[in-house]
């Protein structure tokens, strides 16, 4: 058993200028080996001057370097913690004490309740010679929870906290005699002849302190005792973690209820009503002696806005008051007489300046953590309400700039006109005497009504259409601002407006000329370029695919030349109308000039193949639509269209390239015979053709028996025993040979064809497994992959039942592999289906784990049995430290959650050795075997069996 570091404490009393060791017997045993007291005193002075803890290394008189931490303890004292382990020899704890400590640790680990832990611990301590024992627990405030003297729970006095916290920052066992100066600073804790301290820092931020009273002769003051007690603190910390966690949860629940209660009371309040309610709620909730909220009013003074209980006068000076430090920008906690306290919270405006403060005076310091938690939640709202009151006060005090170029109307709360300015008359044509006393929306501005929908700040602004005195219409921009009194009641409205008719007319003209085609009303080249730039950037940000279609009319020039430009213009408008009927609302159709049109299709899909297919479909539809005859003056006009398509965004593609690419593709379409379409990239076109061909041939592959299964062995990491095989789909095409699954499976998944193929794989694999069993070939388990679309088919569970019934497959030998994508958007359906099949004995594996959306919240709910680590994390081991760390983390998590783990793609012995060292269960990959046809798998399993038999014989 290892012994913890041995520490001594040297308490420096700055008033007396003297230092005191604890435990004194340990210091006496080490004697002259300890550092020079002058060096210790110098370090203590440095910590007091700095006002915070300092770490240093001081030489012992034997030459060893000792780690020392100096911690201020009030304004005139300091605690120095010395690690004297280098001065001590190994084996400080006798063997019988080690055995006793081990037995205590086992006994404590079996106890679930704090009372049981306490009984075991105090019994052990009493056997060791301790007298009265106390346990203090808490976070910011320690409270006595348990006492062998049966004393009721108690709380420390405020003035004892500085000395206590200085000790607890370095959790070291400490033995204080009653005459020690530090004991005099902690009268609530040091009441016996000799007091043993065992401070414990808990991982959740809580603190624990075990106090034991000891008579002088039996006091554990030797080096061996100190080392033993240091180990005891570790045992005590583990035992108390559960209790402190429950305390923290209770604190969080209580504080949440306090926030809900106060927030509900404040929810419908604003302004002064908000402040009054806040003060009342704080006073009642926390049993305060007084609470008030004040704003800064001029230099060095504060103005009281709301207060209850104990509070200052309406206007009071800040200088030398309790509130003055608050305006430095940080919360202030000041102890008062009779164990009372003052707490001040600064309130910052939108510019970060302190504009006021909230002050509380109370007697129960144990409520401070709850108060701080609540105010941390509400501080922004409180500051916002205070700032709002101040802004509105400025509005009341400021004179409105009345005579401007804008029209201004001042009304009462019912919108009765009280005053207008000269600009009002100039804009509306109404004289002041005609409208005073009239109600807006009735005697004036009747058309459309007012419809002022005030926002949460009771303001409104927007564009309106008003009628002048002569009956003409006027476009106006209006702003409505209420003027409230000091209690928040609206006393007036100020309505400012300006005539924007000419501005809007000019904007419309410029817009039409700059952005729209005069003949068809469609966007022109300039607007298309701007829209194209926006769509291009959006596609890159959202990782979606869009398309640009360049449309050129076939044989339009013949009609235009023979029947005239008027007929040609008519035909172009007809073409524009037909195209607009085919597009979505978010699509953009533009005319570049002549007989050229461009169609922008943003966000077709996130899948390039899917976007390509959609663009192809839309292109074919518009070609068919434009090729339909156009009735004109008793005859039919016939034209066609050639379409060039480019997808975006692409590699090394800019927005300026799109029109050129689509135009080039359009000319390729014309060269191909017109009335057709072409994609810009020839390789993309070839790929599209190949995908279409594969899609068509794949539909007949099932009927023509072109699909077949390969099997990859899965083996134990330890020993290499075979634990199963995974069925993998292959396609042997008569025309093109073996086609990669990576090429045809994504195409199958885009359609419902994957459902039929998936069922075929399940049925064939089960047939084969049963055949192996009947032939005496022992393979423990069969794994079959299931796609997301197949899994979520309504009849998936029924088809699994059907496959088992047809083949006679034992369900407990079947393992279904699903990917993480199966869960997304279908969590409940996934869990229900998995649970139903698991009831049969079927097991589940999460395939490619870590490569997709790994949601731990879903993972812990899924009734899965196994995780399969994706090959992307295995392939670079042992060269990639990041992947090694990820694999270690997955294995650790799997062990805690009860999953077995299979590593995919293992190709080297170094990778296998790493997995073995990390405790991985199973693996598969080329190191063991590549996927094999059924006949080759039989031979592979036979060789494994022969090798195993040879090992057993040896």
């Amino acid at each position: 058993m290892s012994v913890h570091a041995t520490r001594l404490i040297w308490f420096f009393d700055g008033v007396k200028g003297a230092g005191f060791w604890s435990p004194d017997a340990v210091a006496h045993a080490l004697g002259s080996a300890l550092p020079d007291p002058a060096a210790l005193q110098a370090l203590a002075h440095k910590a007091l001057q700095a006002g915070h803890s300092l770490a240093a290394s001081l030489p012992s008189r034997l030459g060893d370097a000792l780690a020392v931490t100096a911690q201020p303890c009030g304004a005139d004292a300091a605690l120095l913690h010395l690690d004297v382990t280098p001065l001590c020899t190994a084996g400080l704890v006798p063997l019988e004490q080690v055995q006793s400590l081990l037995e205590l640790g086992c006994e404590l680990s079996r106890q679930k309740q704090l009372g049981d832990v306490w009984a075991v611990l105090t019994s052990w301590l009493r056997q060791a010679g301790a007298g009265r024992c106390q346990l203090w627990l808490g976070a910011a405030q320690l409270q006595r929870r348990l006492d062998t003297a049966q004393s009721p729970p108690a709380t420390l006095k405020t003035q004892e906290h500085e000395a206590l916290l200085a000790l607890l920052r370095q959790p070291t066992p400490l033995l204080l005699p009653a005459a020690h100066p530090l004991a005099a600073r902690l009268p609530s804790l040091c009441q016996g002849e000799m007091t043993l301290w065992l401070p414990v820092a808990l991982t959740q931020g809580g603190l624990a302190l075990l106090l034991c009273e000891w008579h002088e002769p039996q006091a554990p003051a030797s080096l061996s005792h100190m080392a033993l007690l240091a180990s005891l603190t570790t045992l005590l910390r583990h035992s108390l973690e559960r209790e402190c966690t429950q305390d923290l949860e209770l604190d969080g629940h209580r504080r949440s209820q306090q926030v809900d209660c106060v927030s509900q009371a404040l929810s419908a309040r604003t302004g002064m009503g908000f402040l009054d309610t806040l003060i009342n709620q704080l006073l009642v909730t926390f049993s305060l002696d007084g609470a008030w909220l004040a704003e800064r009013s001029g230099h060095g003074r504060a103005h009281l806005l709301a207060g209850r209980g104990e509070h200052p006068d309406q206007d009071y000076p800040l200088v030398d008051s309790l509130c003055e430090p608050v305006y430095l920008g940080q919360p202030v906690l000041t102890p008062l007489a009779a164990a009372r306290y003052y707490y001040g919270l600064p309130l910052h405006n939108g510019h970060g300046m302190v504009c006021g403060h909230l002050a509380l005076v109370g007697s129960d310091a144990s409520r401070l953590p709850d108060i701080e938690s609540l105010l941390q939640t509400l501080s922004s709202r409180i500051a916002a309400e205070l700032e709002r009151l101040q802004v509105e006060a400025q509005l009341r005090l400021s004179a409105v700039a009345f005579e401007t170029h804008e029209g201004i109307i001042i009304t009462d709360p019912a919108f009765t006109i009280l005053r207008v300015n000269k600009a009002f008359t100039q804009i509306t044509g109404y004289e002041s005497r005609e409208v005073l006393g009239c109600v807006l929306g009735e005697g004036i501005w009747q058309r459309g009504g007012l419809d002022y929908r005030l926002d949460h700040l009771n303001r409104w602004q927007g564009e309106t259409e008003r009628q002048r005195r002569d009956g003409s219409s006027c476009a106006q921009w209006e702003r409505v601002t209420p003027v409230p009194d000091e209690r928040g009641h609206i006393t007036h409205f100020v309505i400012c407006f300006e005539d924007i008719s000419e501005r809007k007319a000019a904007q419309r003209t410029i817009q039409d000329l700059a952005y729209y085609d005069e003949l068809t009303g469609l966007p022109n080249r300039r607007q298309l370029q701007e829209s194209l730039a926006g769509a291009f950037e959006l596609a890159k940000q959202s990782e979606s695919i869009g398309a640009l279609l360049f449309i050129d009319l076939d044989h339009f020039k013949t009609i235009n030349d023979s029947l005239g430009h008027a007929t040609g213009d008519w035909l172009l408008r007809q073409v524009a109308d037909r195209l607009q009927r085919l597009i979505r609302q978010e699509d953009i159709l533009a005319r570049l000039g002549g007989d050229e049109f461009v169609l922008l299709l943003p966000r077709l899909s996130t899948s390039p193949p899917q976007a390509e297919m959609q663009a192809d479909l839309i292109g074919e539809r518009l070609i068919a639509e434009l090729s339909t005859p156009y009735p004109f003056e008793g005859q039919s006009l016939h034209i066609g269209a050639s379409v060039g398509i480019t997808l975006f965004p692409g590699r090394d593609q800019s927005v300026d390239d799109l029109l050129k690419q689509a135009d080039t593709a359009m000319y390729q379409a014309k060269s191909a015979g017109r009335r057709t379409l072409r994609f810009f990239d020839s390789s993309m076109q070839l790929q599209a053709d190949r995908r279409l061909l594969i899609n068509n041939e794949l539909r007949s592959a099932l009927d023509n028996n072109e699909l077949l299964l390969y099997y990859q062995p899965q083996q134990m990491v330890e020993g290499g025993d075979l634990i199963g095989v995974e069925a993998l789909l292959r396609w042997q095409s008569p025309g093109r040979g073996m086609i990669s699954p990576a090429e045809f499976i994504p195409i199958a998944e885009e359609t419902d064809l994957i459902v039929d193929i998936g069922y075929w794989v399940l049925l064939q694999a089960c047939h084969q497994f049963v055949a192996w069993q009947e032939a005496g070939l022992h393979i423990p388990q069969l794994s079959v992959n299931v796609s997301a679309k197949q899994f979520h088919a309504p009849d998936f569970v029924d088809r699994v039942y059907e496959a088992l019934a047809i083949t006679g497959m034992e369900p407990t030998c079947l393992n279904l592999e699903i990917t993480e994508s199966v869960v997304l958007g279908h969590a409940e359906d996934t869990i229900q289906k998995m649970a139903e099949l698991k009831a049969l004995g079927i097991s589940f594996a999460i395939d490619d784990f870590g490569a997709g959306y790994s949601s731990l919240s879903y993972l812990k709910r899924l009734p899965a049995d196994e995780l399969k680590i994706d090959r992307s994390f295995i392939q670079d081991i042992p060269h990639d430290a990041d992947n090694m760390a990820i694999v270690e983390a997955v294995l650790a998590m799997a062990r805690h959650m009860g999953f077995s783990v299979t590593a995919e793609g293992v190709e080297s012995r170094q990778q296998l050795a790493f997995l073995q060292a990390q405790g991985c269960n199973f693996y598969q990959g080329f190191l063991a075997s590549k996927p094999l046809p059924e006949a080759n798998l039989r031979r592979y399993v036979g060789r494994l069996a022969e090798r195993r038999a040879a090992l057993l014989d040896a």
Side-chain angles (χ1 to χ4, degrees):
M1 176 177 178
S2 62
V3 177
H4 288 70
T6 303
R7 292 186 175 89
L8 289 180
I9 289 180
W10 191 71
F11 176 74
F12 175 66
D13 189 333
V15 176
K16 297 180 180 179
F20 303 86
W21 288 105
S22 179
D24 184 65
V26 174
H28 180 74
L30 295 175
S32 60
L34 293 171
D36 186 353
L40 297 173
Q41 185 171 341
L43 181 59
H45 280 298
K46 287 183 180 179
L48 288 173
Q49 291 173 358
H52 56 77
S53 62
L54 297 176
S57 178
L58 296 180
S60 73
R61 297 183 185 180
L62 298 180
D64 297 294
L66 303 182
V68 184
T69 302
Q71 178 71 45
C73 183
D76 56 1
L79 280 173
L80 274 67
H81 298 256
L82 286 81
D83 184 352
V84 296
T85 305
L87 305 180
C88 304
T89 59
L92 290 178
V93 182
L95 182 60
E96 62 274 18
Q97 293 179 352
V98 171
Q99 181 62 34
S100 175
L101 193 62
L102 288 174
E103 292 174 357
L104 174 64
C106 294
E107 185 65 17
L108 289 176
S109 66
R110 289 193 289 268
Q111 310 307 318
K112 303 300 182 183
Q113 301 297 324
L114 180 60
D116 298 331
V117 171
W118 178 245
V120 172
L121 185 62
T122 54
S123 174
W124 188 87
L125 286 168
R126 283 175 168 172
Q127 291 175 10
R132 178 188 178 187
C133 297
Q134 304 177 57
L135 180 65
W136 294 70
L137 287 174
Q141 180 79 14
L142 284 181
Q143 184 181 52
R144 185 171 63 217
R145 293 285 296 273
L146 296 169
D147 189 352
T148 55
Q150 304 300 319
S151 299
T155 303
L156 289 178
K157 298 176 182 178
T158 303
Q159 57 267 30
E160 295 178 288
H161 267 276
E162 285 188 358
L164 176 64
L165 292 177
L167 282 170
L168 295 184
R169 287 190 182 98
Q170 293 288 334
T172 302
L174 176 65
L175 193 65
L176 287 180
H180 196 285
L182 186 57
R185 294 172 178 260
L186 298 162
S188 298
L189 302 177
C190 299
Q191 298 177 354
E193 179 182 338
M194 184 75 71
T195 305
L196 170 67
W197 293 59
L198 287 180
V200 181
L202 305 177
T203 58
Q204 297 294 332
L207 298 172
L209 177 61
L210 176 63
L211 297 178
C212 301
E213 294 180 7
W214 236 286
H215 296 294
E216 186 77 33
Q218 291 82 27
S222 67
L223 285 173
S224 64
H225 284 128
M226 287 296 102
L228 181 67
L229 292 172
S231 298
L232 177 60
T233 60
T234 301
L235 296 178
L236 182 58
R237 175 170 58 82
H238 292 312
S239 300
L240 294 177
E241 288 290 350
R242 292 188 299 271
E243 183 71 12
C244 289
T245 299
Q246 294 173 359
D247 286 351
L248 290 174
E249 290 175 352
L250 291 174
D251 289 345
H253 179 67
R254 182 182 69 256
R255 291 169 185 171
S256 177
Q257 288 181 323
Q258 291 168 350
V259 170
D260 291 343
C261 179
V262 176
S263 297
Q264 183 176 2
L266 296 174
S267 60
R269 305 284 185 177
T270 59
M272 291 302 301
F274 174 91
L275 300 185
D276 290 337
T277 304
L278 171 69
I279 295 301
N280 289 337
Q281 287 291 320
L282 292 174
L283 205 74
V284 172
T285 303
F286 300 109
S287 303
L288 300 173
D289 299 334
W292 68 91
L293 192 146
E295 64 177 348
R296 199 168 195 167
S297 60
H299 180 70
R301 298 192 66 82
H303 173 68
L304 187 72
L305 295 175
R308 186 176 173 191
E310 182 181 330
H311 61 77
D313 296 333
Q314 192 77 15
D315 290 279
Y316 63 96
L318 289 172
V319 179
D320 297 330
S321 70
L322 291 171
C323 305
E324 183 181 19
V326 181
Y327 285 85
L328 296 177
Q330 296 296 327
V332 172
L333 178 62
T334 304
L336 304 178
R340 301 202 315 152
Y341 65 88
Y342 164 89
Y343 179 80
L345 176 71
L347 302 175
H348 297 83
N349 59 22
H351 303 289
M353 304 295 293
V354 180
C355 59
H357 72 278
L358 175 67
L360 310 175
V361 176
S363 304
D364 186 358
S366 66
R367 307 296 298 273
L368 276 170
D370 290 354
I371 293 173
E372 291 175 336
S373 175
L374 175 65
L375 293 182
Q376 184 178 10
T377 303
L378 297 178
S379 59
S380 296
R381 172 82 189 279
I382 300 170
E385 289 293 338
L386 175 59
E387 187 175 8
R388 177 174 174 267
L389 284 172
Q390 293 172 336
V391 169
E392 291 174 353
Q394 290 296 324
L395 179 63
R396 292 193 302 270
L397 295 174
S398 301
V400 178
F402 203 67
E403 296 300 337
T404 69
H405 69 283
E406 291 185 329
I408 297 178
I409 309 171
I410 297 179
T411 75
D412 66 8
F415 291 99
T416 301
I417 299 176
L418 304 178
R419 188 179 176 186
V420 297
N421 67 351
K422 292 179 181 179
F424 168 88
T425 300
Q426 295 169 355
I427 296 173
T428 67
Y430 289 100
E431 295 292 337
S432 173
R433 62 179 181 275
E434 296 179 272
V435 297
L436 295 182
C438 295
V439 177
L440 279 179
E442 296 178 6
I444 182 175
W445 291 357
Q446 298 181 36
R447 181 187 297 176
L450 294 182
D451 197 28
Y452 293 147
R453 297 175 182 174
L454 304 183
D455 60 16
H456 66 288
L457 296 176
N458 287 331
R459 298 188 178 96
W460 182 88
Q461 65 175 349
E463 184 179 325
T464 62
E465 189 76 20
R466 299 301 186 193
Q467 189 176 45
R468 298 188 181 97
R469 190 176 188 277
D470 61 5
S472 62
S473 294
C474 174
Q476 296 182 173
W477 184 263
E478 297 177 11
R479 299 186 305 278
V480 182
T481 303
V483 181
D485 60 17
E486 63 180 5
R487 301 302 297 181
H489 301 296
I490 295 176
T491 60
H492 299 83
F493 284 103
V494 177
I495 303 166
C496 302
F497 64 96
E498 59 179 319
D499 184 355
I500 60 172
S501 301
E502 294 183 2
R503 187 193 312 166
K504 287 181 64 65
Q507 289 174 347
R508 282 194 297 268
T509 302
I510 295 172
Q511 182 85 2
D512 291 343
L513 291 174
Y515 293 100
Y516 291 91
D517 174 54
E518 186 177 1
L519 176 63
T520 62
L522 295 176
N524 61 12
R525 181 185 292 270
R526 180 175 180 178
Q527 182 167 344
L528 174 66
Q529 292 282 12
E530 294 183 8
S531 301
L532 194 54
F536 190 82
E537 288 301 318
L538 181 61
K540 289 199 296 185
Q541 294 172 8
S542 61
E543 298 183 356
S544 61
I545 307 298
L548 189 71
L549 282 67
F550 198 111
I551 307 162
D552 186 86
L553 301 182
D554 298 331
H555 311 300
F556 172 79
K557 187 175 184 301
T558 302
I559 295 174
N560 196 51
D561 291 345
S562 60
L563 299 180
H565 292 291
T567 303
D569 290 347
W570 175 87
L571 185 57
L572 290 173
R573 287 192 291 269
Q574 294 296 309
V575 169
D577 290 342
R578 290 191 181 188
L579 290 174
Q580 285 179 305
R581 291 197 297 268
L582 294 177
I583 65 177
R584 304 170 300 176
Q585 185 175 1
E586 61 184 311
D587 299 337
I588 297 175
L589 176 66
R591 180 185 175 221
L592 297 187
D595 60 352
E596 294 178 341
F597 295 83
V598 172
L599 178 58
L600 173 62
L601 305 173
R603 294 188 299 183
L604 285 176
S605 174
T606 56
S607 166
Q610 190 71 21
E612 186 179 310
M613 294 176 66
Q614 290 190 40
D616 186 276
L617 178 62
I618 294 170
E620 295 290 354
R621 285 179 57 194
L622 67 87
I623 290 174
E625 180 67 24
L626 295 182
S627 299
T628 304
Y630 297 80
F632 178 74
E633 296 182 355
Q635 60 180 315
S636 295
L637 304 181
H638 295 269
I639 59 173
S642 298
V643 180
I645 304 175
T646 184
L647 300 180
F648 64 86
R651 181 179 298 176
D652 300 327
Q653 183 186 50
S654 69
V655 66
D656 297 330
D657 297 328
L658 297 183
L659 270 176
K660 290 186 250 181
Q661 292 177 356
D663 189 27
T664 300
M666 182 272 295
Y667 278 106
Q668 292 176 358
K670 280 192 177 294
S671 300
R674 302 177 186 268
R675 288 197 183 184
T676 187
L677 61 84
R678 287 290 183 270
F679 285 88
F680 166 73
D681 191 345
S682 58
S683 64
M684 186 185 301
Q685 182 66 43
L686 291 175
Q687 186 179 5
D689 292 342
R690 178 173 174 80
R691 289 178 62 82
L692 182 60
L693 185 61
I694 288 177
N695 183 58
N696 293 335
E697 291 183 356
L698 189 57
R699 295 183 178 276
S700 60
L702 273 173
D703 299 331
N704 297 336
N705 295 321
E706 297 173 14
L707 300 181
L708 64 155
L709 294 180
Y710 276 39
Y711 301 89
Q712 186 171 35
Q714 298 170 326
Q715 297 177 223
M716 297 278 293
V717 172
E718 288 283 352
D721 290 345
L722 183 71
I723 56 97
V725 296
E726 180 181 0
L728 300 171
L729 181 63
R730 297 292 185 266
W731 179 12
Q732 182 69 47
S733 172
R736 289 188 302 278
M738 189 72 74
I739 300 177
S740 169
E743 188 172 3
F744 71 84
I745 287 181
I747 296 175
E749 287 180 338
E750 291 174 3
T751 67
D752 291 334
L753 192 58
I754 192 64
V755 177
D756 295 332
I757 292 177
Y759 179 68
W760 180 88
V761 170
L762 177 63
L763 194 61
Q764 293 301 313
C766 290
H767 271 304
Q768 185 60 66
F769 188 87
V770 172
W772 287 333
Q773 286 184 318
E774 293 174 351
L777 189 68
H778 177 65
I779 297 177
Q781 188 181 63
L782 171 68
S783 295
V784 178
N785 290 283
V786 178
S787 72
K789 184 169 286 189
Q790 178 188 359
F791 188 90
H792 293 299
D795 61 344
F796 171 71
V797 174
D798 293 334
R799 301 198 78 171
V800 174
Y801 272 90
E802 182 181 12
L804 295 175
I806 292 174
T807 62
M809 172 81 176
E810 175 60 40
T812 56
C813 296
L814 179 60
N815 180 52
L816 298 181
E817 297 188 6
I818 60 175
T819 61
E820 297 160 284
S821 62
V822 170
V823 185
L824 295 182
H826 307 85
E828 299 305 323
D829 177 62
T830 302
I831 294 170
Q832 179 183 349
K833 288 181 177 178
M834 290 178 68
E836 185 174 350
L837 293 175
K838 275 188 68 68
L840 291 177
I842 296 174
S843 60
F844 281 90
I846 306 300
D847 198 14
D848 300 335
F849 183 77
Y853 180 83
S854 301
S855 170
L856 298 183
S857 62
Y858 284 147
L859 184 62
K860 69 180 183 180
R861 297 178 58 198
L862 292 179
D865 307 275
E866 178 184 2
L867 300 181
K868 300 190 71 175
I869 302 177
D870 187 69
R871 66 182 65 248
S872 63
F873 298 113
I874 303 297
Q875 61 187 7
D876 292 329
I877 293 175
H879 308 296
D880 191 325
D882 291 339
N883 282 347
M884 294 172 71
I886 291 172
V887 172
E888 290 179 28
V890 171
L891 289 169
M893 179 197 67
R895 283 193 294 270
H896 285 294
M897 300 182 71
F899 294 112
S900 60
V901 179
T902 297
E904 297 180 294
V906 178
E907 298 180 1
S908 70
R909 296 193 179 278
Q910 294 95 326
Q911 293 169 354
L912 183 62
F914 169 79
L915 295 172
Q916 185 175 14
Q918 299 304 319
C920 183
N921 307 105
F922 317 120
Y923 78 100
Q924 66 185 84
F926 281 16
L927 178 63
S929 172
K930 65 182 181 181
L932 301 171
E934 190 275 337
N936 292 5
L937 181 71
R938 283 176 177 263
R939 290 192 290 272
Y940 180 83
V941 174
R943 289 196 299 271
L944 280 181
E946 290 172 2
R947 283 202 298 266
R948 181 167 181 77
L951 289 174
L952 292 176
D953 292 338

